[in-house]
Amino acid sequence: MKIVVLLYLLFNTLAFWMGKDMRWAQEFFFQCSSLCLIISPMLFDFKSKGNSSKSYENKFNIALGVFFAWAFFVYLRSMEGWSMLFNIFLGIGVYQAVARSLIYEDVRFVIKGAMWLVLFVIGYLILQLFGIDLRGQTTRGEYAVVPKCSIFGLEAHYGLYLAMMLPLILGISRINNLDINRSIWGVIRAILSVLAILGMFIVIYPSNSTAAYLALIIAILFYLWHKVRILFWCVLIPVTLGGFLYIAKVDNPMGMQFTRMDMWLKVIQDTHLKPFGRGLNSFRDDQKEDAIKYFKWCSQDKKINNTTIRA
């Protein structure tokens, strides 16, 4: 790490060789080198090999560091997507701040506080279903109506939020202390726990998002397998069957599965032209509308060839 710091100081000093008229280049070099310096400890910090928990943390940090290095490399190839690269950096920074600052009891406190917001989000959706929406006409969707997605602007965002939060709430619940061998009350608690878990999939239903539904299934089954194995077997069949029915009866009739899959298959054929992609954030703020032309072209029923519209 000391070598990285030394190189950082040397290269930033040499950047002034460009002169005062190239301050934008000096600033850019400072920003890029600073990002690399801050991320470097994830790749080079192996001082805690003897501690098993620290060892797992280091492995995850290495994965994050490699991911950022890949994103940085893609950015340098296209010089596009600085905001996306910076967002990745901020996300990693938030993770590091939380992981290094909070203890287990602090995490429980945070999740308990967030649980009240989850209840508010679900309650607000229920009010919307009954025609009560305090937002009035301030939020309108594509068809000039207020979408029924609680406080979010899109149904999928509602589902993805719950898919992230509900497993965390499950993790701090009393389900971890479940013991059905002691008394009838234990059996009743087990039944109530199963109903509560199935209820999570009911509240996520209005999202119309297969991604959210599958994410919740995987997260809950993963948790139950490691913490409460008996409940895993109790909910495995209904949860899995419900997921298949959700995809077949709710998502597929909307047509998104088929159109997206067809487009993805055609875009994959184009990867040999740009193996590292077209740049971070390349389709987000496309002033020339090349992204629109590209996807319209991909939606046509023909093979990709050398005349591909390059976004």
Side-chain angles (χ1 to χ4, degrees):
M1 185 61 191
K2 58 186 178 184
I3 297 177
V4 176
V5 176
L6 178 60
L7 293 175
Y8 173 79
L9 295 176
L10 292 177
F11 288 147
N12 272 286
T13 303
L14 293 175
F16 286 90
W17 172 76
M18 300 176 182
K20 65 178 182 180
D21 295 332
M22 295 292 289
R23 289 180 178 176
W24 65 269
Q26 296 163 6
E27 181 185 25
F28 174 75
F29 199 93
F30 166 73
Q31 292 171 341
C32 291
S33 59
S34 297
L35 289 178
C36 294
L37 175 65
I38 296 172
I39 295 296
S40 293
M42 296 184 181
L43 298 174
F44 301 111
D45 185 13
F46 297 101
K47 296 180 180 179
S48 305
K49 281 186 176 180
N51 188 323
S52 59
S53 61
K54 275 290 183 181
S55 178
Y56 284 118
E57 181 181 341
N58 284 337
K59 292 178 181 178
F60 185 64
N61 286 343
I62 292 174
L64 289 177
V66 171
F67 171 67
F68 182 83
W70 169 82
F72 186 66
F73 174 74
V74 172
Y75 168 74
L76 291 179
R77 283 178 58 89
S78 61
M79 298 302 294
E80 188 172 0
W82 173 257
S83 61
M84 184 67 71
L85 181 67
F86 191 59
N87 288 340
I88 294 173
F89 168 76
L90 291 178
I92 295 176
V94 169
Y95 160 74
Q96 290 292 328
V98 171
R100 295 174 183 270
S101 304
L102 300 185
I103 61 176
Y104 177 72
E105 290 302 323
D106 295 333
V107 174
R108 288 180 58 89
F109 172 81
V110 171
I111 296 176
K112 285 182 179 179
M115 177 178 65
W116 293 104
L117 179 59
V118 172
L119 294 176
F120 171 76
V121 166
I122 297 173
Y124 198 94
L125 178 66
I126 295 175
L127 291 178
Q128 285 181 323
L129 295 177
F130 283 97
I132 303 174
D133 194 343
L134 302 180
R135 295 178 302 171
Q137 301 300 314
T138 59
T139 304
R140 288 180 176 271
E142 181 179 354
Y143 302 103
V145 296
V146 179
K148 291 181 174 57
C149 51
S150 187
I151 63 175
F152 301 93
L154 191 66
E155 288 88 344
H157 294 167
Y158 162 81
L160 293 171
Y161 174 75
L162 292 185
M164 291 185 289
M165 293 305 302
L166 291 178
L168 294 177
I169 296 174
L170 184 66
I172 65 169
S173 66
R174 295 183 180 181
I175 197 174
N176 298 303
N177 302 322
L178 185 64
D179 187 358
I180 64 174
N181 296 323
R182 294 183 178 179
S183 62
I184 298 297
W185 173 239
V187 177
I188 296 176
R189 281 187 58 191
I191 296 174
L192 293 177
S193 299
V194 171
L195 294 177
I197 293 172
L198 297 180
M200 293 180 179
F201 293 92
I202 296 176
V203 297
I204 208 175
Y205 176 86
S207 68
N208 295 327
S209 172
T210 296
Y213 218 83
L214 292 179
L216 185 61
I217 290 176
I218 294 172
I220 287 182
L221 291 182
F222 178 84
Y223 177 80
L224 293 179
W225 174 263
H226 289 281
K227 293 296 183 179
V228 194
R229 189 71 58 86
I230 188 171
L231 288 186
F232 170 87
W233 297 114
C234 291
V235 303
L236 176 61
I237 294 179
V239 164
T240 305
L241 181 61
F244 282 117
L245 291 176
Y246 186 86
I247 296 173
K249 300 297 183 181
V250 178
D251 204 347
N252 278 348
M254 292 189 295
M256 297 294 289
Q257 298 281 7
F258 300 103
T259 55
R260 287 183 177 180
M261 189 63 67
D262 182 63
M263 182 175 291
W264 289 340
L265 291 175
K266 293 180 179 179
V267 170
I268 288 175
Q269 299 177 51
D270 193 30
T271 55
H272 69 282
L273 299 175
K274 294 282 186 177
F276 293 96
R278 300 182 181 274
L280 300 175
N281 215 22
S282 57
F283 286 174
R284 183 179 183 184
D285 188 20
D286 192 350
Q287 301 297 332
K288 299 179 181 179
E289 296 186 347
D290 286 329
I292 297 176
K293 296 176 184 177
Y294 179 79
F295 283 115
K296 282 185 177 179
W297 184 85
C298 286
S299 65
Q300 297 175 8
D301 189 19
K302 63 180 180 180
K303 295 291 183 181
I304 287 180
N305 50 44
N306 292 330
T307 62
T308 301
I309 300 174
R310 289 171 172 79

